[in-house]
Amino acid sequence: MTILDIVTYPDKSLAQPSEKITDIDETLKTLIEDMADTMFEAPGAGLAAVQVGVSKQLIVINTTEEGQENSYMALINPEIVEADGEFISEDEGCLSVPEFRATVKRFNRVKVTALDVDGNPMELNEEGFPAVVLQHEIDHLKGVLFINRISALKREMYKRKVKKWMKGR
Ligand code: NI
């Protein structure tokens, strides 16, 4: 089991779009397993590769049911191909944005296409919270954090808080 370091805001790499994956090799499979371990350990609902310093279009989603053994899904080159409705995501958070939560307006339903760990095309249709997790993680691959989707006033409050922490270090 390998727990990777999580990159946190304001690291500039989090604002960069990730590259499409062309080779699904052993290195990538190891990365997927390490990302899953890191997500379970945190714990988090999902994790994008850019959050562990790898700028590739890869996300893992926590599919663990309460009281069950840990399980996850890996999506390579995921893309939202359909989205509708509105979902108010309350208390949304991110492992890369510590000590902050906010309400974010999301789509209620999304259809996502991706490749699985074996390179086979897959399609997901999700609604509500699982749809929010997919939107949040796919945003990471575009260099977008949830704090980019809240009011400028709230974002400035958080930025000031982070600046204070950094001075205190
Ligand atoms: Ni996040």
Side-chain angles (χ1 to χ4, degrees):
M1 185 160 117
T2 310
I3 306 299
L4 305 166
D5 286 333
I6 293 177
V7 176
T8 55
Y9 176 88
D11 194 295
K12 287 193 168 53
S13 66
L14 293 169
Q16 301 299 318
S18 296
E19 274 173 36
K20 213 163 203 155
I21 292 170
T22 49
D23 288 315
I24 300 174
D25 53 14
E26 285 311 308
T27 312
L28 189 78
K29 288 183 182 177
T30 305
L31 173 66
I32 289 171
E33 282 165 23
D34 293 347
M35 279 173 61
D37 289 340
T38 306
M39 172 179 67
F40 293 136
E41 177 79 9
L47 191 68
V50 65
Q51 293 182 272
V52 293
V54 180
S55 186
K56 286 188 177 167
Q57 292 183 21
L58 164 67
I59 62 174
V60 291
I61 301 288
N62 199 336
T63 55
T64 310
E65 308 256 0
E66 219 184 305
Q68 302 294 311
E69 245 177 76
N70 283 342
S71 64
Y72 71 94
M73 197 187 283
L75 284 81
I76 296 164
N77 301 336
E79 208 178 320
I80 296 173
V81 292
E82 274 178 41
D84 56 51
E86 189 182 290
F87 186 95
I88 302 301
S89 167
E90 285 173 11
D91 267 338
E92 192 165 319
C94 177
L95 297 174
S96 294
V97 185
E99 307 293 329
F100 187 70
R101 292 194 164 262
T103 298
V104 186
K105 208 193 277 182
R106 297 286 190 184
F107 289 110
N108 180 51
R109 195 192 64 85
V110 292
K111 184 197 231 179
V112 171
T113 58
L115 297 177
D116 68 14
V117 278
D118 300 311
N120 299 313
M122 61 185 283
E123 188 185 293
L124 280 177
N125 285 282
E126 298 291 351
E127 215 182 296
F129 180 70
V132 169
V133 176
L134 284 168
Q135 289 167 78
H136 178 116
E137 299 313 329
I138 293 171
D139 266 356
H140 274 299
L141 306 184
K142 298 175 185 146
V144 174
L145 296 174
F146 81 102
I147 52 172
N148 299 121
R149 296 196 180 278
I150 62 175
S151 75
L153 187 72
K154 280 188 188 150
R155 188 166 51 245
E156 284 311 314
M157 269 168 52
Y158 182 69
K159 280 185 185 172
R160 277 204 295 272
K161 212 157 109 175
V162 172
K163 262 183 206 154
K164 240 184 239 171
W165 291 339
M166 293 177 76
K167 267 187 203 156
R169 259 183 217 166

